Amino acid sequence: MNPIINEITSAQVKTDIPPFKVGDGVRVHTKVREADKERIQIFSGIVIARKGHGIHESFTVRRISYGEGVERVFPVNSPNIEKIEIERESEPMKARLYYLRNRTGKAAVAIREREKRVEAPAAPAAS
């Protein structure tokens, strides 16, 4: 990208975003303005795509709501995003999880989760 554009937009890039990746379950807290009031609305689901870089980066979150698939695209550096919480981590096998669109029920949210490594105690030596 053009270094001049990078220099201009570097002040607007958020630095407090947690490191999340495709396949993670996230809760996105967004600001919603209604008339003269402002409130926080939470959209939770699975990240199925991340695109762009720098100020232009965005991600797509998908969830099943009342049996219907709902997707929403969020700009990472938007001032309307209050915070992003990671609910669960996963090990995706692809960079884009668009194949989840064809699935329904539990299969639509079943992604292999990252296994927690636990050191097994050493077995006693048999004599």
Side-chain angles (χ1 to χ4, degrees):
M1 194 172 188
N2 191 342
I4 297 171
I5 294 175
N6 284 341
E7 184 180 330
I8 294 169
T9 60
S10 64
Q12 297 167 344
V13 175
K14 287 187 177 181
T15 57
D16 61 341
I17 299 169
F20 65 95
K21 58 192 176 307
V22 174
D24 288 351
V26 296
R27 293 169 51 106
V28 183
H29 298 250
T30 56
K31 295 178 186 174
V32 177
R33 290 178 187 86
E34 296 171 340
D36 58 340
K37 296 180 185 176
E38 186 175 288
R39 63 183 177 87
I40 301 295
Q41 186 176 45
I42 299 174
F43 189 89
S44 63
I46 297 173
V47 178
I48 63 169
R50 280 187 83 158
K51 295 181 179 180
H53 63 281
I55 193 79
H56 305 290
E57 187 174 3
S58 64
F59 62 101
T60 305
V61 179
R62 179 178 175 82
R63 74 171 179 196
I64 306 297
S65 178
Y66 297 100
E68 192 72 28
V70 178
E71 291 183 7
R72 192 162 169 197
V73 179
F74 295 99
V76 173
N77 298 298
S78 172
N80 290 331
I81 292 182
E82 186 71 24
K83 66 179 176 178
I84 300 170
E85 294 178 2
I86 301 173
E87 289 182 322
R88 65 179 191 165
E89 293 185 1
S90 67
E91 288 186 17
M93 303 303 289
K94 298 177 181 273
R96 307 276 192 273
L97 301 179
Y98 294 142
Y99 64 88
L100 293 178
R101 292 173 174 166
N102 300 327
R103 297 186 178 188
T104 58
K106 190 181 277 188
V109 294
I111 298 175
R112 188 171 68 187
E113 290 191 28
R114 178 176 292 171
E115 297 174 7
K116 306 285 189 242
R117 289 192 171 222
V118 178
E119 295 294 324
S127 14

